[in-house]
Amino acid sequence: MSSGDGGGGGSGVGVKGVFIGAGCNRIVNNVSWGACDLVAFGAQNAVAIFNPKTAQIWTTLPGHKAAVNCTHWLPSNKFAYRAKHLDRHYLLSGDAAGAIILWEYSVLEGKWGYVQQLPQLHKKGVTCITGIMVSQTEAIFASTSSDSTVYIWEVVFPSSSGGDCELLHLDSLSVGTKPMVALSLSELPGSTGHLVLAMGGLDNKIHLYSGERRGKFVKGCELKGHTDWIRSLDFALPTCTNDEASNVLLVSSSQDRGIRIWKMALKGSLDSNQSAYRKEKVSLASYIEGPVLIAGTTSYQVSLESLLIGHEDWVYSVEWQPPSNASSEGIAYCQPQSILSASMDKTMMIWKPEKTSGIWMNVVTVGELSHCALGFYGGHWSPNGDSILAHGYGGSFHLWKNVGTDYENWQPQKVPSGHFAAITDIAWGRSGQYLLSVSHDQTTRIFAPWENEASPRDEESWHEIARPQVHGHDINCVAIIQGKGNHRFVSGADEKVARVFEAPLSFLKTLGHAISQTSNFADDLQVGVQILGANMSALGLSQKPIYVHAEQHTPDKNVNDGLDTLETIPDAVPVVLTEPPIEDQLAWHTLWPESHKLYGHGNELFALCSDHDGKLVASSCKAQSAAVAEIWLWQIGSWKAVGRLQSHTLTVTQMEFSHDDKFLLAVSRDRQFSVFSIDKAGTDEISYQLVAKQEAHKRIIWACSWNPHGYEFATGSRDKTVKIWTVENESSVKLLTTLPQFSSSVTALSWIGLDRKSNDGLLAVGMENGLIELWNLSVKRSDAGVAGAVASLVVRLDPLMCHVSAVNRLAWRNCKNEDSGSLQLASCGADQCVRVFEVNIN
């Protein structure tokens, strides 16, 4: 976990990172599993690091200005056998703008540091980085880009802590007009000191270049055979015979669905056999043998060792199992004859040669066989070879571990999960038991601490426990309905309809397992719930209920039963989860049924909020005129439209009810805020009127938040200011104070009360640059009303804890005990991350 105190005003407030939920960028080469047993991946502009043992994301590294395309550890898992005692590991990350950054990880301290950004030679996005350790402190790596260039670098790491990394650009290669998208480096067998670089890409050929460690790389030969783009290349470590490396194997995969293993065998010195070789006739044998790679004075015979056919779609990645420490003396490592491949056919396969015939066979197949999975972008071995990790089309991870002792038995394991597009809104469950988030990835997700895990008592382990809504439109806003009764929420997407969802029985029971300390909390809710779960039709947007007492009838099997067609999509099987679920369960079996649709708005929904009583929901949509910018009020239960509030001329960006539901505050793109008084005196009749409207800022107002203990509220704007206002005599609004100008546009605000008597509170401020600050607000009251407000900076959160793109929403967790001294703040942003912070007030 990222932890530690943020720097800043330091009024005895400590902030610790509790949880990060994020999805993986949906691109090949995005994930890398290092020798330090940590996994790096790109989450929008951030480089995220997670620990496979705990299934928790530790931190995100800020620095990239564009989406992260690829990551590569130095040393990678291939060199784990000799990296056991390293104090520092390094990570390379490349982004869609062509920038490459080098990071340092200190194993002993568990801390990350930014080393440097490489001179930006690539003009377009970096698509692949590969590197090898040529000594304990020296690495050679290569990068390729959509601009059709490949650059080769040398980096020398400091031998003692505190030293600087030395970076040297060795060479630039351009193979032609078609970009290379796959690279692999290896040392050549024999004592030549030469390296070989394999490149593959859009011309369907593998290009081999060789060069000395610090010299120029020259073109060696081309390997032909693949009939479509080459997507992945990986060299094994040189194979040893008689204690001497004599050949090296290269594996390649392609969009032609095939995998090829190439062998490069040491042919001998050119001085002795060059003339003899040239006189050989071109025969069938020489054609099968393939070309000869010449490196300095040594030549290598390249031949096709094997062709592996088994995948039914593009093979995006192939990787040799990492070597292990050799048992016998004299040999440094033992390279297993084992290859992992990952494909868009939703499977990963492990290939090994059969013991007797030597023919390569598929010995293990794992995959996501649910119809909603759309294939894998890459597969990776753990450093010790007992686990395999895939990342998929849905931004998801899939991890299997070999738990068998006498035979192989690969079982799915827990992994981190999260949204794979910008997260637009978050809301805490009514009692703060869970956090609900919505995103432009068209899903709604629920994250919660799973308290009955075998983890330390003081450390909550957070996981995604449900995916209530899987939609066909980007989701923009959400509101959890307060009050008594079952858990319900309303969500609004890029459509004119708001949708109401209700928790099914399977979720209520799962939540009971997750929150074991208060396991009886949901018993009273479960009594009247007759819906077990929900189903999504193949081409529909509505989620239909599955009833508890519905007959489980099996339809007649048709001819297409084995095929994954739209007609044969299986029904969801709602289950009560007794441990955190994996992707396969989340994607289909944890849906909530949709109970109502709210029709009325003329454009796409943009903002939603619910009152504290559970009587009203307010909604707004994207608007460019006063008629469309109306705020609609909906009565919870009957779901009738009971009010249309007119005030603004452009999109209302956020709304919030005051603590006693007497007022509704709205802020808008038209730079104004409005305060409406709401009277719910009658059962069906709602009366409302505009109390105040004011142009409050010079630019768009993005955020607003009420003081939970009074009629004061805050507004935050693109003009980089936050202003504190108060409602006077329930008829007018007065400006109390303006906070000092912030470094970036203010995009999110959330106010929590600390002490009702003294009217102190904390205001969380989120900005467009991803940073978060906490401010202390003390409202001074007198007999004549509110006299003023004093604001002071409490803490600026460490950038390593914060978002790397705009903060879209902040929300304090409903705390049952105001005097506990420990608060939790949730945030979400455009960087695909949901974050939970613990704020300790001393």
Side-chain angles (χ1 to χ4, degrees), residues 562-611:
L563 301 174
D564 196 2
T565 63
L566 290 176
E567 290 77 22
T568 60
I569 283 184
D571 282 347
V573 184
V575 287
V576 178
L577 302 163
T578 55
E579 61 179 12
I582 57 172
E583 178 70 19
D584 212 9
Q585 295 164 310
L586 284 168
W588 197 241
H589 304 306
T590 58
L591 294 172
W592 288 21
E594 185 182 305
S595 58
H596 292 88
K597 294 182 181 69
L598 310 183
Y599 294 96
H601 285 290
N603 280 340
E604 299 94 332
L605 271 287
F606 195 82
L608 284 163
C609 76
S610 164
D611 69 356

Side-chain angles (χ1 to χ4, degrees), residues 128-339:
C128 181
I129 300 173
T130 186
I132 58 166
M133 302 296 294
V134 289
S135 72
Q136 285 283 25
T137 58
E138 190 180 352
I140 307 285
F141 66 92
S143 61
T144 184
S145 158
S146 309
D147 61 10
S148 302
T149 57
V150 175
Y151 294 109
I152 301 165
W153 309 79
E154 179 193 55
V155 59
V156 180
F157 303 122
S159 51
S160 60
S161 60
D164 292 331
C165 288
E166 294 175 30
L167 193 72
L168 181 66
H169 173 229
L170 296 180
D171 205 357
S172 308
L173 304 174
S174 184
V175 176
T177 55
K178 295 189 174 178
M180 297 290 107
V181 295
L183 302 174
S184 187
L185 270 165
S186 174
E187 292 186 271
L188 281 167
S191 54
T192 59
H194 278 71
L195 303 176
V196 59
L197 171 67
M199 301 189 277
L202 279 55
D203 63 358
N204 309 349
K205 292 183 283 195
I206 299 169
H207 303 266
L208 296 180
Y209 280 71
S210 66
E212 293 180 47
R213 190 178 291 186
R214 289 200 167 182
K216 295 290 181 188
F217 277 68
V218 293
K219 188 172 178 67
C221 58
E222 292 175 357
L223 308 182
K224 298 175 184 176
H226 285 295
T227 56
D228 206 335
W229 293 6
I230 289 158
R231 298 310 305 231
S232 181
L233 294 165
D234 191 35
F235 276 110
L237 289 190
T239 312
C240 296
T241 51
N242 303 328
D243 293 354
E244 198 172 287
S246 58
N247 59 58
V248 63
L249 294 173
L250 169 69
V251 63
S252 62
S253 73
S254 162
Q255 289 181 186
D256 65 9
R257 308 179 185 185
I259 300 166
R260 289 169 181 258
I261 302 172
W262 310 83
K263 184 177 184 180
M264 297 169 56
L266 187 61
K267 197 174 166 68
S269 173
L270 286 181
D271 301 337
S272 57
N273 65 359
Q274 187 172 19
S275 55
Y277 173 71
R278 291 292 155 92
K279 289 174 186 171
E280 282 180 18
K281 292 179 181 174
V282 177
S283 63
L284 183 62
S286 62
Y287 177 76
I288 292 170
E289 279 183 330
V292 172
L293 173 73
I294 298 170
T297 59
T298 316
S299 63
Y300 299 86
Q301 176 67 58
V302 185
S303 58
L304 180 64
E305 178 83 355
S306 191
L307 173 62
L308 314 183
I309 302 291
H311 284 295
E312 295 170 3
D313 208 333
W314 298 356
V315 186
Y316 266 137
S317 89
V318 279
E319 190 176 285
W320 289 95
Q321 184 176 333
S324 56
N325 284 69
S327 51
S328 60
E329 292 294 319
I331 305 173
Y333 57 86
C334 172
Q335 170 69 63
Q337 295 291 288
S338 176
I339 292 169

